[in-house]
Amino acid sequence: MAVGLKHPPLLREGINEVIGTTLFNAAPMGVISRGGRYTLALFKGSHTARNVVRDGWFVANIVHDPLLFVETTFGDLPEDAFVSEQVDGIAMHRLAAADAWAAFSARVIGESGEAYSIELTLLEEKILVDPIHRPVNRGFNAIIEATVHTTRYLRNHDPDLGWLIRHHLVLARKCGGEKEREAAGVIEGLLH
Ligand SMILES: Cc1cc2nc3c(=O)[nH]c(=O)nc-3n(C[C@H](O)[C@H](O)[C@H](O)COP(=O)(O)O)c2cc1C
């Protein structure tokens, strides 16, 4: 039974783009919520996949800092970016910079050549920063799109993807704030 729930569940129906933390590791992940069930498609080869399969836990961090999405996709965070939380008798790591977090136990329920299918069971969640006043911002969303496309572009250099990324970087600079502009610069630097 999940503890600390005095609010609607943090994750909503559909795919929740969060920063997933495992043992001293962070990476953007899409937690799928359908009919009250949480799952994760975890591509093999990542630190997250290795840790989730080995340790059986996963923390979904709700984050609204676009730079953190970019940094955790293409690089690593220092150890002091993590805070340890005792959940269900296990020391789990969440991001110090999280606005809120949801901790899950995780088990492999399927496997293909490329990915694991993971079932997540909610154990505890906590809101650290008041989430109410957060208007939709196309610049932030554009950074998320550009980041996802860039992970693929770096593997295949597909010119159509390159075009899409540049389109989203224009939007990020037009609609975003300083953080989105900075994140756009980091992504642009990776394209050359
Ligand atoms: C918004 C976003 C969502 C992502 N969702 C997933 C996902 O659901 N599953 C996955 O395996 N990789 C996903 N990725 C890719 C990983 O974040 C990426 O491969 C990362 O480098 C893995 O880092 P790690 O080796 O530290 O785990 C996503 C990336 C972004 C930007």
Side-chain angles (χ1 to χ4, degrees):
M1 183 65 182
V3 289
L5 274 185
K6 292 186 193 74
H7 51 79
L10 277 180
L11 301 189
R12 60 189 193 189
E13 184 85 1
I15 301 183
N16 296 268
E17 307 301 350
V18 299
I19 296 188
T21 43
T22 53
L23 192 72
F24 286 124
N25 192 72
M29 291 285 150
V31 176
I32 305 160
S33 169
R34 301 272 176 216
R37 186 162 178 255
Y38 299 108
T39 55
L40 192 58
L42 208 42
F43 291 98
K44 291 183 175 177
S46 70
H47 297 113
T48 305
R50 181 200 62 196
N51 292 355
V52 165
V53 171
R54 184 192 62 208
D55 300 334
W57 60 266
F58 175 88
V59 178
N61 296 264
I62 314 288
V63 169
H64 295 93
D65 178 344
L67 258 185
L68 210 43
F69 273 90
V70 173
E71 284 167 1
T72 55
T73 303
F74 303 110
D76 293 322
L77 296 181
E79 290 202 353
D80 65 4
F82 300 89
V83 170
S84 187
E85 299 279 354
Q86 201 68 21
V87 179
D88 214 27
I90 302 170
M92 298 189 186
H93 289 170
R94 54 111 170 149
L95 285 181
D99 289 352
W101 55 268
F104 298 87
S105 63
R107 90 188 160 93
V108 178
I109 53 168
E111 184 175 354
S112 70
E114 294 101 53
Y116 297 105
S117 181
I118 305 288
E119 183 177 61
L120 298 175
T121 303
L122 181 62
L123 296 173
E124 183 171 347
E125 52 182 41
K126 230 167 229 164
I127 295 175
L128 306 170
V129 174
D130 184 343
I132 294 167
H133 309 289
R134 212 170 272 285
V136 170
N137 180 270
R138 293 178 71 203
F140 175 80
N141 292 351
I143 289 295
I144 300 298
E145 292 304 307
T147 307
V148 171
H149 294 316
T150 301
T151 60
R152 293 201 195 111
Y153 180 81
L154 292 179
R155 286 197 297 266
N156 64 16
H157 289 89
D158 175 351
D160 286 344
L161 268 183
W163 184 91
L164 256 184
I165 294 163
R166 290 190 188 285
H167 164 78
H168 283 111
L169 294 184
V170 170
L171 259 181
R173 290 190 163 113
K174 182 176 153 206
C175 304
E178 211 35 63
K179 288 260 184 182
E180 281 78 15
R181 294 202 183 104
E182 210 179 315
V186 174
I187 294 172
E188 198 151 55
L190 293 168
L191 300 180
H192 300 301

